[in-house]
Amino acid sequence: MRGFLVSSIGVTCAAALALPLTPPALAATARPVPAAEAARPAPHAGTPATTPTGRRTAEPSVAGSTQSLPLEPLTRDRATPSAPATEQGLPRRAVRHFSLVGVVWDDPDAELHGRVQVRTRTAGTGTWSGWQDVETHNADHAADPDTPERASGRVRGATAPLWVGDSDGVELRVCSESDGSAADAAGPASGARNLPAAPPLPSGLRLELVDPGEDDAAAPGAEGPRAADALNAENSAVTEASAVNADLAPLGATEIGALSRAETEQEYLALDVGGLTERQRQAKPYVGPRPGIVTRRGWGANEGLRESGFRYTKKVKAAFVHHTASGNNYRCSQVPSLIRSIYRYHVKSMGWRDIGYNFLIDKCGKIYEGRAGGVAKPVLGAHTLGFNSNSMGIAVLGSYGATKPSKSAVKAVARLTAWKLGLYRVNPKGKTYLKSAGSNLHRKGKKVRLNVISGHRDGFKTECPGRKLYGKLGSARSQAARYQGR
């Protein structure tokens, strides 16, 4: 995230936020709201916070919810009052409980050139946080152009999500900045008159407040009364998501257990991924021992949220490593809630068919199943714009631009890739070619030579997976190759 720029724009934004503001009533969302969500009234500003236990008892829904609040202009140019506002936000207000925030807008191809900052009130204590930056450059995490998922008409532009923990108050500011502002701020002062005009903010800006709810798998139908066919469809989706892993674990398992090398080699022959030749069956396989993987049922996925069915690519030739840019202020015991929040944000707020990543890894080194379709299968994700085909996306939960990833997380990346790439007979220290579907780094149709284990920035001009995590990918490649017995 770029540092805040000292400019006339920044001064104007700060001045606007310094004005006394009376919190208005909670704005209604323009999108349909689930019945149970609508049934919960928003508290008035100043309402004492309740404890998480008391809140869960009082609320009719434990399956999670999203509050979607339209932003308001904070300032306007007096000379041209009809011009689009370059500062939008929301004054401090009380809201229903939430744990993750993000900002979305109408056009997925529009970019937000500026800075997004949020502060939140901790539930139970009433303590307000300082201003926190929300990563604005998130368009590179997306389905490929010209795919049904991208062309669904539901996809929106969005910031990265930010995990803030259980909260019941929020304040937001979004300030537009020109592309040249950074250069002007770094160079000699030349007067505000030389600063380029700030571009307009994208239309339809909304603040998304996500409550992950409790373990959704344990509360089918918790979002309110629904028809029997809807409940049956959700139960069918739960069974479907588990059945695709039936070769690896019992139906309904919350975790796919780790295997020894010998057990993994037997599984490798039984799975017969891609169709083994007789020569390949006789040769010793280069496949790492299968690591333990928490299933979607294990982290409490509400299978009724995602689009039904699965989408696959042909094979897995590469793994793209990401960070979620959602902050590092989480405990490993909170990870199921964090993943449920990201899942809901990807589907309900951003309009994707499912969570975008194929796998997620926490800072304690635990591996989680991401997009539904089967952990051993070539599931088509929405993680690396232009290179989702014939690849998989692994997201390390957190932000790793300035923070080093844990050794446990890097080891988990190595263990996961040694196994999954091994099933497809791919060397994690090798190179491969992928055909670009179009990105800001590689034109559509170009065959690009990449490391088998690449960072997101290798396929798209982006900071992801953060400088510190990207610097550990060489170590992950070497470890993965050793796990494969190379």
Side-chain angles (χ1 to χ4, degrees), residues 83-270:
T86 55
E87 294 90 26
Q88 293 186 33
L90 290 174
R92 184 184 299 194
R93 63 181 62 194
V95 293
R96 295 191 300 271
H97 287 240
F98 65 96
S99 296
L100 179 140
V101 305
V103 173
V104 300
W105 53 92
D106 295 338
D107 184 358
D109 295 320
E111 296 185 25
L112 195 163
H113 297 282
R115 193 179 195 195
V116 176
Q117 290 185 302
V118 66
R119 56 193 307 240
T120 56
R121 184 176 67 185
T122 302
T125 68
T127 303
W128 283 89
S129 72
W131 288 104
Q132 300 183 74
D133 286 313
V134 180
E135 176 58 63
T136 60
H137 301 288
N138 193 49
D140 44 323
H141 299 77
D144 286 341
D146 303 322
T147 59
E149 182 170 6
R150 180 73 176 185
S152 68
R154 299 188 302 270
V155 179
R156 305 179 188 90
T159 67
L162 178 68
W163 175 259
V164 295
D166 193 18
S167 305
D168 61 6
V170 69
E171 184 177 2
L172 177 78
R173 60 190 185 193
V174 180
C175 299
S176 175
E177 294 171 353
S178 66
D179 290 336
S181 296
D184 291 327
S190 56
R193 64 182 181 277
N194 292 329
L195 290 174
L201 293 169
S203 62
L205 287 169
R206 305 181 74 89
L207 173 64
E208 304 287 289
L209 304 176
V210 181
D211 177 2
E214 300 295 342
D215 185 339
D216 291 345
E223 285 207 26
R226 286 177 291 177
D229 57 348
L231 292 174
N232 290 336
E234 182 172 327
N235 291 333
S236 176
V238 171
T239 302
E240 181 186 50
S242 182
V244 286
N245 289 317
D247 290 336
L248 312 179
L251 193 67
T254 58
E255 184 168 358
I256 297 169
L259 296 181
S260 67
R261 178 176 297 280
E263 291 170 329
T264 302
E265 290 177 357
Q266 292 176 358
E267 178 189 73
Y268 168 84
L269 295 174

Side-chain angles (χ1 to χ4, degrees), residues 263-282:
E263 291 170 329
T264 302
E265 290 177 357
Q266 292 176 358
E267 178 189 73
Y268 168 84
L269 295 174
L271 290 175
D272 192 19
V273 173
L276 295 168
T277 65
E278 187 58 33
R279 182 176 180 180
Q280 288 170 332
R281 284 185 169 278
Q282 297 302 320

Side-chain angles (χ1 to χ4, degrees), residues 145-146 435-439 442-446:
D146 303 322
K435 186 176 180 180
S436 173
S439 77
H442 303 289
R443 62 173 173 79
K444 182 177 180 179
K446 180 181 179 181

